[in-house]
Amino acid sequence: MTPEQTGIAVPPITPQEYGVGARFTLSVYDSDYVSIILGALGEADADGLVVETNDISTFVGGTEQRVAGFLRDVIAAAAARGAHLSASILLSRGCPGELQCELPPGATALAASPIALAATGVRARAHWSLYPLLDAGQAGGDHMAAIAAAVDHARETGLYAGSDHYATRLDGDLADVLETAANAWILVGRTVQHVTTHLTVSINSPSVVAG
Amino acid sequence: MTPEQTGIAVPPITPQEYGVGARFTLSVYDSDYVSIILGALGEADADGLVVETNDISTFVGGTEQRVAGFLRDVIAAAAARGAHLSASILLSRGCPGELQCELPPGATALAASPIALAATGVRARAHWSLYPLLDAGQAGGDHMAAIAAAVDHARETGLYAGSDHYATRLDGDLADVLETAANAWILVGRTVQHVTTHLTVSINSPSVVAG
């Protein structure tokens, strides 16, 4: 029975209840990495976000727009120091908790608005993978069709720069790279509850070293 | 009609045809990163593997055992230089090609044997996520049940060190961390064709810096 049918108001699910957030590792290829990473994390606006840093990565929870904005700010601040860096980013929505999806009763795929990020002036190249985590027996098409639609969207934005094994290559302003990946994640999330996406972003690379 | 029914021999699918491989980015937090990364890549035995390095990451294709062994060797060699490093690793099987799964006709989930790696003496801490990429309408259970079974396996091996948002924490010898993740990926792959897993491995971390 829907809320409309029962007449009982159901509080909206918050981004935190829906498990909207990111986990990322910022790697700075420089012996001065501690001050660069801590400086970048310290400068970014964490208002309205849950930010938890440990020895492997940093978790950021909040709305799609605020989470992506935080990633943009932290990575751009680190990049401004000039060192070569890479960021390994996981975005997830639709599955809070750890080993089980601890969603409020009745929750299914929850739409969110596309995000928009201001340009940074920092060129980023990225490998990007998108995972619509369907269950067998569920309605909603096949996972590769959802991925193909997202890549078509990346072509339209001009960020698409080729396909390598297991990943799509994006190339452009850091803000546009993050925006393209996040908006595909949000778009697939309109019909699939649990969607994750992984990005490896490379900035200030001096060469073709895999670093 | 199966090969048995037709009497026509079908050549076995090779690991390359089945898309077995890894994409990884090795990040060294040291100004001498170029020689450390190139040295580690150069020392590892690439016999029987396809290895392609570009500006963002390195692709390795081959059998599950050889791919995992290559990752072990490269990361352990870099770690031996003493610098703090992280490795962002994607393992994939069951979906060769880029935007479409270009499998030979009739291919479905293909079993592989578990791998075994010799200990390295290098302690690794990792965040690990496993993605069984089911299609709606397909047989084979739900994706969270497959993940829970894999985490149970990690508990049995003693590598399980807790659950953070979106990731399971593994802690132990680098070889055991890679083996645990790879064997869960192989185990789920017995019933699900397209399975990926992502690991962020941290080694020689001096502190609780998110690096």
Side-chain angles (χ1 to χ4, degrees):
Chain A
M1 203 173 285
T2 66
E4 289 70 22
Q5 288 171 316
T6 59
I8 300 167
V10 174
I13 296 173
T14 65
Q16 191 155 2
E17 286 176 322
Y18 199 59
V20 178
R23 181 169 288 288
F24 72 105
T25 297
L26 182 60
S27 302
V28 178
Y29 297 55
D30 190 288
S31 301
D32 195 27
Y33 68 92
V34 173
S35 81
I36 296 174
I37 293 170
L38 292 183
L41 282 169
E43 282 169 35
D45 175 13
D47 195 45
L49 294 170
V50 176
V51 180
E52 294 166 0
T53 292
N54 63 33
D55 56 317
I56 305 175
S57 62
T58 295
F59 166 75
V60 196
T63 64
E64 290 80 0
Q65 174 68 43
R66 292 286 297 119
V67 168
F70 185 83
L71 292 172
R72 173 204 174 278
D73 292 351
V74 170
I75 300 168
R81 298 282 291 268
H84 174 30
L85 60 90
S86 69
S88 169
I89 304 165
L90 154 60
L91 299 174
S92 184
R93 62 195 305 279
C95 210
E98 286 147 10
L99 301 183
Q100 293 179 326
C101 289
E102 293 162 1
L103 284 171
T108 54
L110 198 73
S113 299
I115 64 152
L117 299 176
T120 61
V122 174
R123 182 181 173 195
R125 285 175 288 192
H127 272 143
W128 169 45
S129 302
L130 179 66
Y131 301 123
L133 291 156
L134 293 160
D135 288 327
Q138 181 182 340
D142 73 279
H143 75 280
M144 291 302 288
I147 293 169
V151 172
D152 283 345
H153 177 72
R155 284 184 210 270
E156 286 163 20
T157 64
L159 273 284
Y160 177 86
S163 290
D164 294 329
H165 290 296
Y166 320 140
T168 297
R169 180 179 277 264
L170 302 177
D171 191 340
D173 189 282
L174 170 64
D176 294 331
V177 167
L178 293 172
E179 194 178 293
T180 296
N183 282 340
W185 169 66
I186 290 166
L187 185 69
V188 174
R190 289 179 173 262
T191 52
V192 181
Q193 177 198 308
H194 188 192
V195 185
T196 70
T197 190
H198 282 253
L199 278 165
T200 298
V201 180
S202 176
I203 294 172
N204 297 334
S205 174
S207 69
V208 293
V209 169
Chain B
M1 203 172 284
T2 67
E4 289 70 23
Q5 289 171 317
T6 59
I8 300 168
V10 175
I13 296 174
T14 65
Q16 192 155 0
E17 286 176 323
Y18 199 60
V20 178
R23 181 168 288 288
F24 73 105
T25 297
L26 182 60
S27 302
V28 178
Y29 297 55
D30 190 288
S31 300
D32 195 28
Y33 69 91
V34 173
S35 82
I36 296 173
I37 293 170
L38 292 183
L41 282 168
E43 283 169 36
D45 175 15
D47 193 47
L49 295 170
V50 176
V51 179
E52 294 166 1
T53 293
N54 63 32
D55 57 318
I56 304 175
S57 61
T58 295
F59 166 75
V60 195
T63 65
E64 291 81 358
Q65 174 69 42
R66 292 285 297 119
V67 167
F70 185 84
L71 292 172
R72 173 204 173 280
D73 293 351
V74 170
I75 299 169
R81 299 281 291 268
H84 175 30
L85 60 88
S86 68
S88 169
I89 303 166
L90 155 60
L91 299 174
S92 183
R93 61 196 303 282
C95 209
E98 285 147 10
L99 302 183
Q100 294 180 324
C101 289
E102 292 161 2
L103 286 171
T108 55
L110 198 72
S113 299
I115 64 152
L117 299 176
T120 61
V122 174
R123 182 181 172 194
R125 285 176 288 193
H127 271 144
W128 170 44
S129 303
L130 179 66
Y131 301 123
L133 292 156
L134 294 160
D135 288 328
Q138 182 181 341
D142 72 279
H143 74 280
M144 290 303 288
I147 293 169
V151 172
D152 283 344
H153 176 71
R155 284 184 209 269
E156 287 162 19
T157 63
L159 274 284
Y160 177 85
S163 290
D164 295 329
H165 290 295
Y166 320 139
T168 297
R169 180 180 278 265
L170 302 177
D171 190 340
D173 189 281
L174 170 65
D176 295 330
V177 166
L178 293 172
E179 195 177 293
T180 297
N183 282 340
W185 168 66
I186 289 167
L187 184 69
V188 174
R190 288 179 174 262
T191 52
V192 181
Q193 177 196 307
H194 187 192
V195 184
T196 70
T197 190
H198 283 253
L199 279 165
T200 299
V201 179
S202 176
I203 294 173
N204 298 333
S205 173
S207 70
V208 293
V209 169

